[in-house]
Amino acid sequence: MNFDVVIIGGGLAGLTCGIALQEQGKRCAIINNGQAAIDFSSGSMDLLSRLPSGQKVQNIYQSLDELTAQAPEHPYSILGKDQVLAKAQQFEQLARALNLHLEGSTAGNHERVTPLGGLRATWLSPNSVPTVKHLTALAEKQVAILGIEGYHDFQPQLLADNLKQHNQFADYEFTIGYLNIPELDYLRQNSREFRSVNIAQLLEHKLSFQDLVQEIKQAAGSAKAVFLPACFGLDNQDFFNSLQQATGLALFELPTLPPSLLGIRQHRQLCSCFEQLGGMMMNGDRAVRAEFEGDKVVRIFTTSHQEEPISANHFVLAAGSFFSNGLVAEFERVTEPVFDLDICGCKNFDSSDRFTWTNNRFAAPQPYQSAGVVINSACQVQKNGAVMPNLYAVGNVIGGFQGIEQGCGSGVAVVTALTVAEQIGGIK
Ligand SMILES: Cc1cc2nc3c(=O)[nH]c(=O)nc-3n(C[C@H](O)[C@H](O)[C@H](O)COP(=O)(O)OP(=O)(O)OC[C@H]3O[C@@H](n4cnc5c(N)ncnc54)[C@H](O)[C@@H]3O)c2cc1C
């Protein structure tokens, strides 16, 4: 098998890169082994929420200069401020074209409401997710927070109590209620099955739509705005939008404990776009090793293609971090298992000294989380100190940043993915 580009990993980074390449007329294959981080994420995408110093980011444009000063090893610092902003804006356009219903822009972060009633700065949020802007625009300061009877991954009382602590919502009235849906009794028999994905499947296909509409209206009482756990609509936001229309209420949905419907929807929409553009998804397969000619990768072997390798002109590593097995921590060193690439991390991290991997304060950012492969400004990787001209890395497999602490996981994924697509396509 021969392709223009082979991408290893089908998460947010791999799919974004694949879509952009297919749009340029390249023949791409994505080899993908399993679930991705996006299936567990909140659905909101962070570009840069916090600097390494801990300072909150309001204006992303200004903060990128400060980031370069504080963390020259960060992928944004390596790519440069103009490139980061250009590719983030390109992703905003792609998200609109894919109908991902994302709101927000690089002009500045907004604050979304978290399921525990916190406020978190982020770049893009699904328009169904409550934000400070949505709440302050409500005509009446009354919100009904509705759980589902027996579903413990969403706690309305906790959410209401914590939201009341914020000054801007101190005079809001949050009422609590629960949807009683007898059709879900079947799932309740096994608590491990009582999850957002199973509930969504059942609600979409086995319950009368009108019954659900009535139940929400009744539980909402006099409130015109309602918060629900994200359990409505598995493939996209259409089912949730229909509920919104039929109830005549301002409905909002909050991410639940993983797996998260809001992330899963985005993942499904990205996969289907890649395939519609003619890309080949090789699901359930795993890249295991590569063969090189000089400094170039020429073919890779997978668990299903041990004898018949897959060759391409360009290879993109989008295998994620430890969470997705894109990186592996052995006793003596952190490694990248397919190509054995050079590894870096934040300032105090040394891949071959495990005493530098962790911070003894449990709640502090852990240095191992910044581990990943070394890249240059074209996202080409490095092996034994030498740049590999036809092997690129995108997303969480790259080193030098703390995705959770700095709130930049999705941003790094899409910015590097679109940078690599531009490099390979040669299109500015
Ligand atoms: C629980 C959780 C919550 C998060 N919440 C947020 C959030 O609210 N906002 C935000 O911006 N970011 C969030 N993130 C981070 C963000 O989701 C990730 O940074 C981003 O999705 C990473 O995408 P990726 O494509 O680089 O990697 P991944 O999503 O990890 O994808 C890598 C894929 O490669 C596959 N793979 C690995 N090795 C191989 C191989 N050898 N062969 C074939 N396939 C392979 C894996 O199975 C996986 O499917 C969250 C992450 C997690 C884990």
Side-chain angles (χ1 to χ4, degrees), residues 7-15 30-47 112 120 122-123 258 267 282 285-288 302 317-321 323-327 336-338 394-398 401 403-404 407-413 416:
I7 299 170
I8 299 164
L12 176 60
L15 282 164
I30 295 183
I31 302 166
N32 190 48
N33 185 41
Q35 278 188 308
I38 192 171
D39 298 316
F40 299 84
S41 90
S42 67
S44 290
M45 299 197 181
D46 307 334
L47 185 57
R112 68 175 170 97
R120 206 184 143 97
T122 188
W123 167 41
H267 198 183
M282 299 166 75
D285 202 1
R286 178 174 182 76
V288 283
T302 70
L317 183 65
S321 185
F323 183 79
S324 301
N325 295 322
L327 299 175
E336 180 287 302
V338 183
V394 296
N396 235 2
V397 74
I398 296 172
F401 70 101
I404 297 172
C408 61
S410 297
V412 168
T416 52

Side-chain angles (χ1 to χ4, degrees), residues 148-368:
I148 296 175
E149 270 181 14
Y151 178 63
H152 301 301
D153 287 356
F154 180 76
Q155 296 292 337
Q157 190 67 56
L158 190 64
L159 170 49
D161 290 348
N162 286 338
L163 261 185
K164 287 283 276 183
Q165 306 295 318
H166 301 286
N167 283 342
Q168 56 267 64
F169 306 125
D171 57 345
Y172 278 55
E173 185 191 345
F174 295 104
T175 55
I176 303 299
Y178 288 89
L179 302 178
N180 182 334
I181 305 173
E183 280 80 355
L184 295 179
D185 287 348
Y186 161 76
L187 291 180
R188 280 194 194 92
Q189 288 164 14
N190 181 351
S191 58
R192 284 167 57 189
E193 304 222 333
F194 207 40
R195 290 289 163 91
S196 55
V197 175
N198 310 58
I199 295 174
Q201 278 165 340
L202 218 128
L203 291 181
E204 223 170 326
H205 302 296
K206 297 226 166 102
L207 180 69
S208 144
F209 183 72
Q210 277 315 321
D211 288 351
L212 185 56
V213 170
Q214 276 317 314
E215 183 62 19
I216 293 173
K217 281 167 90 168
Q218 195 180 329
S222 58
K224 299 281 181 291
V226 175
F227 285 5
L228 294 165
C231 294
F232 305 89
L234 191 53
D235 291 325
N236 51 45
Q237 211 180 289
D238 292 353
F239 184 74
F240 182 81
N241 290 347
S242 325
L243 271 181
Q244 167 119 323
Q245 213 177 3
T247 54
L249 298 167
L251 296 187
F252 297 99
E253 51 182 349
L254 287 119
T256 58
L257 281 184
S260 153
L261 230 59
L262 291 156
I264 291 172
R265 284 181 198 154
Q266 292 167 348
H267 198 183
R268 289 185 174 203
Q269 283 173 275
L270 289 166
C271 278
S272 115
C273 174
F274 175 70
E275 288 184 311
Q276 275 168 19
L277 288 166
M280 183 190 270
M281 240 10 242
M282 299 166 75
N283 281 318
D285 202 1
R286 178 174 182 76
V288 283
R289 69 184 176 89
E291 275 182 2
F292 305 86
E293 278 176 12
D295 56 3
K296 287 193 167 177
V297 181
V298 281
R299 56 192 77 89
I300 57 165
F301 296 81
T302 70
T303 42
S304 307
H305 296 86
Q306 306 259 16
E307 310 294 330
E308 240 188 292
I310 302 169
S311 53
N313 299 330
H314 302 273
F315 293 84
V316 180
L317 183 65
S321 185
F322 300 101
F323 183 79
S324 301
N325 295 322
L327 299 175
V328 175
E330 293 172 353
F331 191 78
E332 289 186 337
R333 65 185 190 123
V334 171
T335 62
E336 180 287 302
V338 183
F339 302 97
D340 196 15
L341 300 173
D342 294 353
I343 299 288
C344 67
C346 61
K347 271 197 285 280
N348 304 322
F349 174 83
D350 176 353
S351 155
S352 57
D353 177 3
R354 62 182 295 129
F355 292 105
T356 68
W357 297 359
T358 49
N359 185 314
N360 56 14
R361 280 199 55 226
F362 179 73
Q366 297 296 331
Y368 76 88

